[in-house]
Amino acid sequence: MFFVALAIAILVLSTSANRMGSLFAAFIIGGLGIDELVSLRLQRRSLLSRIGPLP
């Protein structure tokens, strides 16, 4: 749920000058958050867990 909340915060705090970049970032981060929630519900590995440990 953190990634979904982060995507919403990005959309709320974006300005009109950087709207396209904010929409793209919110789409990617929100998609990862939704994938995490769906993976938890279906009891499978999420996309983030498949790409390995992040630095």
Side-chain angles (χ1 to χ4, degrees):
M1 289 194 31
F2 173 73
F3 286 116
V4 175
L6 186 61
I8 292 169
I10 289 172
L11 289 176
V12 169
L13 297 174
S14 67
T15 62
S16 61
N18 61 0
R19 182 72 58 174
M20 288 306 293
S22 297
L23 285 173
F24 182 70
F27 178 74
I28 297 297
I29 292 172
L32 290 173
I34 291 171
D35 178 61
E36 288 280 340
L37 294 174
V38 169
S39 296
L40 180 65
R41 177 78 173 137
L42 298 177
Q43 297 179 353
R44 63 176 174 92
R45 291 180 66 193
S46 68
L47 181 62
L48 281 177
S49 69
R50 287 187 228 157
I51 62 173
L54 299 174

